[in-house]
Short mmCIF file of all heavy atoms in Angstrom, two decimals:
data_model
loop_
_atom_site.label_atom_id
_atom_site.label_comp_id
_atom_site.label_asym_id
_atom_site.label_seq_id
_atom_site.Cartn_x
_atom_site.Cartn_y
_atom_site.Cartn_z
N PHE A 258 98.01 96.54 107.35
CA PHE A 258 97.12 95.43 107.02
C PHE A 258 95.95 95.42 108.01
O PHE A 258 96.13 95.72 109.19
CB PHE A 258 97.87 94.10 107.05
CG PHE A 258 99.01 94.04 106.08
CD1 PHE A 258 100.27 94.48 106.44
CD2 PHE A 258 98.82 93.57 104.78
CE1 PHE A 258 101.32 94.45 105.54
CE2 PHE A 258 99.85 93.54 103.87
CZ PHE A 258 101.11 93.98 104.25
N GLY A 259 94.78 95.08 107.52
CA GLY A 259 93.60 95.03 108.38
C GLY A 259 93.09 96.41 108.74
O GLY A 259 93.50 97.43 108.18
N VAL A 260 92.18 96.44 109.71
CA VAL A 260 91.57 97.68 110.20
C VAL A 260 92.32 98.16 111.44
O VAL A 260 92.62 97.36 112.33
CB VAL A 260 90.09 97.46 110.56
CG1 VAL A 260 89.49 98.70 111.22
CG2 VAL A 260 89.28 97.07 109.32
N THR A 261 92.62 99.43 111.50
CA THR A 261 93.10 100.03 112.74
C THR A 261 91.94 100.80 113.36
O THR A 261 91.44 101.77 112.76
CB THR A 261 94.30 100.96 112.48
OG1 THR A 261 95.40 100.18 111.99
CG2 THR A 261 94.73 101.65 113.77
N LEU A 262 91.48 100.32 114.51
CA LEU A 262 90.40 100.98 115.24
C LEU A 262 91.03 101.95 116.23
O LEU A 262 91.70 101.54 117.17
CB LEU A 262 89.55 99.94 115.96
CG LEU A 262 88.41 100.47 116.83
CD1 LEU A 262 87.41 101.27 116.00
CD2 LEU A 262 87.71 99.32 117.56
N VAL A 263 90.81 103.23 115.99
CA VAL A 263 91.45 104.26 116.81
C VAL A 263 90.57 104.50 118.04
O VAL A 263 89.39 104.81 117.93
CB VAL A 263 91.64 105.55 116.01
CG1 VAL A 263 92.39 106.58 116.85
CG2 VAL A 263 92.39 105.26 114.71
N MET A 264 91.16 104.35 119.21
CA MET A 264 90.42 104.47 120.46
C MET A 264 90.40 105.90 121.00
O MET A 264 89.52 106.26 121.78
CB MET A 264 91.02 103.52 121.51
CG MET A 264 91.05 102.07 121.06
SD MET A 264 89.44 101.45 120.52
CE MET A 264 88.54 101.48 122.08
N ALA A 265 91.39 106.70 120.62
CA ALA A 265 91.45 108.09 121.08
C ALA A 265 92.41 108.85 120.20
O ALA A 265 93.35 108.29 119.63
CB ALA A 265 91.90 108.16 122.54
N ASP A 266 92.17 110.16 120.08
CA ASP A 266 93.13 111.05 119.45
C ASP A 266 93.36 112.23 120.38
O ASP A 266 93.00 112.16 121.57
CB ASP A 266 92.67 111.48 118.05
CG ASP A 266 91.40 112.32 118.05
OD1 ASP A 266 90.92 112.72 119.14
OD2 ASP A 266 90.87 112.60 116.96
N GLN A 267 93.92 113.31 119.89
CA GLN A 267 94.29 114.41 120.78
C GLN A 267 93.07 115.10 121.40
O GLN A 267 93.20 115.85 122.37
CB GLN A 267 95.14 115.43 120.03
CG GLN A 267 94.42 116.21 118.94
CD GLN A 267 95.38 117.09 118.14
OE1 GLN A 267 96.36 116.62 117.62
NE2 GLN A 267 95.07 118.37 118.07
N THR A 268 91.89 114.85 120.85
CA THR A 268 90.67 115.45 121.42
C THR A 268 90.04 114.55 122.48
O THR A 268 89.05 114.95 123.09
CB THR A 268 89.64 115.75 120.32
OG1 THR A 268 89.26 114.52 119.66
CG2 THR A 268 90.20 116.70 119.28
N GLY A 269 90.56 113.35 122.67
CA GLY A 269 90.04 112.47 123.71
C GLY A 269 89.54 111.15 123.17
O GLY A 269 89.68 110.85 121.97
N PRO A 270 88.92 110.32 124.03
CA PRO A 270 88.45 109.00 123.60
C PRO A 270 87.27 109.09 122.62
O PRO A 270 86.45 110.02 122.71
CB PRO A 270 87.98 108.34 124.92
CG PRO A 270 88.57 109.16 126.01
CD PRO A 270 88.71 110.55 125.47
#
Side-chain angles (χ1 to χ4, degrees):
F258 300 88
V260 173
T261 296
L262 177 61
V263 184
M264 303 307 293
D266 65 8
Q267 68 186 54
T268 61

